[in-house]
Amino acid sequence: MDNNAPTFAKQDNLKFFRTLNSRVNNYFKEKNIQKTGNWKLYLKTFILFSVFLAPYFIIITLPNIHFGLFFILSILIGIGMAGIGMNVMHDGNHGSYSNKNWINKFMGGSIYILAGNVYNWQVQHNVLHHTYTNIPGYDEDLDAGRVIRFTKDAKWERFHKFQHYYSVFLYGLLTFNWCLTTDFKQMKGYLKRKLSYGEPKSAKTLWTTLVITKIIYFSVWIVIPMIVGVIWWKVLVGFFVMHYTAGLILSIVFQLAHIIDDTTNPNPNEEGEMDNTWAIHQLFTTVNFAPKNRIVNWYTGGLNHQVEHHLFPNISHIHYGKIADIVKQTAKECDLPYHEYKTMTSAVIAHFKHLKDLGQKPLLTA
């Protein structure tokens, strides 16, 4: 990590996380269950991969299908793609899918068929986002370039007045950018900064893996469909629709948890120190949404329980609904915030209202 990275307070008088960790550990001990995934996650994995791959095989088996059906199948692939990313890949790369390391690596590696890269994702998400959540300049999830102003620290531009309108259209480009440019830019930057997660690998190995997996990826999704007879323009349209669907879903889910008025974007003091401990910092920078919605819970891989996920990233998302009451009660006892929107609709409205405020109020600065 960078030498000038912020440091968190060492202790809090409330002993919040010590108490919370003890209670959560007791929950799993009393229930005699593991913190990793179980048959529910394995069944979900099968369903999501079926949604992701079945339409692909239909397309390459019936290359001359009607364009309307082809378009629908491309959307389904995108839905499956986002689902795998939020449920399977996410838990795998956090080491929470299984208690077996090789299974976690295998499931985490599913990101390669989703257009991403394991090394880049683990550095950006596990290291930067989970450690420096919502801290401008360190959490790259806050960086949208000049086009969208996600924080008060970001420079205001005149076109930001309309960002609550145009941002949703740009959200769909997330994974499309991953596969074309973002992975290459990130790897170059992370290697230069000597960032890593887990056992470090040589730059040669990482670059070779990136190039080979990209070649395989584009071969599967573009070259093979053309070889079997799908006309080139349909292949490109389907590829874009697939990515746009997945990108839109993933972006909205990501933004609802952090880019919202209830959360803060704290900066370190002149000595590079944060006001709170890491655990308490997560409570101020994270939001839950639709916690009782079974469909949202199932499909988003528990990312709607973002508070629980940030406090316990090594616990599989299938348990978040159960430990949420423990987290909420402990936060209440310690007089700490626990941000939550009862429905996804209310969270979406709050997110775009926040974007509107950041875009239309140039004086709204840090």
Side-chain angles (χ1 to χ4, degrees), residues 120 183-193 207:
N120 288 335
D183 272 331
F184 296 94
K185 292 179 180 178
Q186 284 186 331
M187 183 163 291
K188 180 180 179 180
Y190 294 159
L191 288 175
K192 184 178 180 180
R193 295 163 61 188
W207 277 115

Side-chain angles (χ1 to χ4, degrees), residues 16-33:
F16 164 70
F17 193 61
R18 184 185 302 176
T19 301
L20 176 62
N21 198 44
S22 175
R23 291 175 177 178
V24 170
N25 285 333
N26 286 337
Y27 165 80
F28 284 98
K29 185 177 181 179
E30 292 171 0
K31 298 293 183 180
N32 194 28
I33 55 177

Side-chain angles (χ1 to χ4, degrees), residues 117-132:
N117 177 270
V118 169
Y119 167 74
N120 288 335
W121 192 90
Q122 288 182 334
V123 171
Q124 179 186 356
H125 186 79
N126 291 11
V127 178
L128 300 178
H129 175 63
H130 271 271
T131 306
Y132 307 107

